[in-house]
Amino acid sequence: MKNNKKNLLSLAILAAGMLGASVSMAASDTLKVGMEITYPPFESYDKDKNVVGSDPELAAALARHMNAKVEFVDTKFPSLILGLNSGKYDAVISGMYITPERQTQAQTIAYANTGAAVMVPKGSEINAKKPEDLCGLKLGLEQGTTWVKEFRKLSDEYCVPNNKGAITVSEYPSAPEVTQALLSKNIQAQVEIAGAAKLIAEKTNGRVVITTDHPIYQQTLGIFVKKGNEETFQAVQKAFEETKKSGEYAAILKKYALEEPTAN
């Protein structure tokens, strides 16, 4: 009898705890989104310290359809998934490609296709049109990007065996720091997402130019949600579908020259 009472009490406490958690989730009126806010046109601060760009616009649209406010949590790119899984925010929307490795760490919703561009200082003799043209060069990349592995693989499997010289890859904490290294001639070329590359070229007043005619290494950008957090994932997915129906999603893609992901 005592054991039965104990068990009933334990179940009651557990149920109360679960109810409390459910009430807390239901009462939450804020969608917290992790992003590195130094990455225009995807996300950056304007002169009034507002967060602007394609990702904040998408996140705000999602929040509206979830009847919630949106809050942006500025986080270094390599730490975004770690922060997501430690509960610092509900989702990551930060110009981040969906990769098999990242899909082992988080649930994903594909929202746009884009690719990378190669940039060099104005007046450089380098005229890289494709990845193979970067053999033998010092290349700068933002830390944590998928291209780090791509270029190291290209160097090992193509450049060196064909006596074209290894690609020396240097990683920097943020895209602006890569550009500074490029202008300081510490590296010879920078690779960045096409939309960001276009803005970088504009902001440097032509001191940096894009050499690629078409984006290279095209991939799919994603919204990332913690694995096991089905409530949030389903809510975000539903809100995403609502942005499509409302026309907000198409408007964002058009404004930022992004493409809708190809259906699998």
Side-chain angles (χ1 to χ4, degrees):
M1 190 69 173
K2 282 184 179 179
N3 285 339
N4 285 341
K5 284 184 178 178
K6 272 183 161 183
N7 290 340
L8 287 171
L9 180 60
S10 298
L11 286 170
I13 291 170
L14 179 61
M18 290 176 68
L19 179 61
S22 298
V23 169
S24 175
M25 285 182 195
S28 175
D29 61 351
T30 302
L31 176 66
K32 291 186 178 180
V33 178
M35 56 177 60
E36 181 173 11
I37 312 176
T38 59
Y39 202 46
F42 296 97
E43 46 268 327
S44 61
Y45 291 106
D46 66 11
K47 62 181 181 180
D48 298 316
K49 299 299 180 182
N50 297 310
V51 183
V52 297
S54 58
D55 291 335
E57 287 185 29
L58 177 59
L62 294 174
R64 281 194 298 274
H65 288 287
M66 296 168 72
N67 296 316
K69 298 175 184 176
V70 66
E71 179 183 329
F72 304 117
V73 183
D74 197 358
T75 305
K76 288 293 184 184
F77 194 86
S79 301
L80 282 168
I81 297 292
L82 182 63
L84 175 69
N85 288 328
S86 65
K88 289 185 178 179
Y89 27 81
D90 304 303
V92 168
I93 310 176
S94 190
M96 182 176 282
Y97 286 151
I98 295 174
T99 65
E101 182 182 359
R102 287 172 181 156
Q103 286 183 306
T104 66
Q105 303 172 61
Q107 300 179 87
T108 59
I109 300 169
Y111 73 93
N113 278 356
T114 187
V118 177
M119 295 175 285
V120 300
K122 183 179 180 180
S124 171
E125 294 180 357
I126 298 165
N127 189 31
K129 300 296 183 185
K130 56 187 186 298
E132 291 79 6
D133 293 337
L134 296 170
C135 291
L137 300 182
K138 293 179 181 179
L139 180 64
L141 297 167
E142 183 177 2
Q143 186 179 1
T145 63
T146 60
W147 304 311
V148 174
K149 288 182 180 179
E150 291 285 356
F151 281 108
R152 285 178 176 159
K153 181 180 178 182
L154 177 68
S155 181
D156 292 341
E157 296 183 3
Y158 173 79
C159 299
V160 173
N162 287 282
N163 298 314
K164 293 179 179 290
I167 299 173
T168 303
V169 176
S170 297
E171 297 180 73
Y172 296 83
S174 68
E177 289 170 273
V178 185
T179 305
Q180 187 55 52
L182 183 66
L183 292 171
S184 301
K185 298 184 178 179
N186 291 322
I187 56 175
Q188 295 168 281
Q190 175 179 359
V191 171
E192 195 47 83
I193 285 182
K198 183 175 181 291
L199 276 187
I200 289 169
E202 291 172 358
K203 286 190 173 184
T204 60
N205 295 316
R207 289 187 296 156
V208 168
V209 296
I210 296 171
T211 61
T212 40
D213 298 320
H214 305 286
I216 59 174
Y217 292 138
Q218 294 202 35
Q219 294 187 59
T220 301
L221 299 170
I223 301 166
F224 293 77
V225 177
K226 182 179 179 179
K227 277 198 167 184
N229 190 351
E230 283 302 317
E231 182 181 13
T232 299
F233 182 76
Q234 294 298 331
V236 171
Q237 194 165 49
K238 182 180 177 183
F240 182 55
E241 293 304 318
E242 292 298 323
T243 67
K244 290 185 175 181
K245 292 176 185 177
S246 68
E248 295 163 287
Y249 171 69
I252 291 170
L253 293 185
K254 183 177 180 181
K255 180 177 179 180
Y256 292 97
L258 297 169
E259 297 179 1
E260 187 170 357
T262 305
N264 292 329

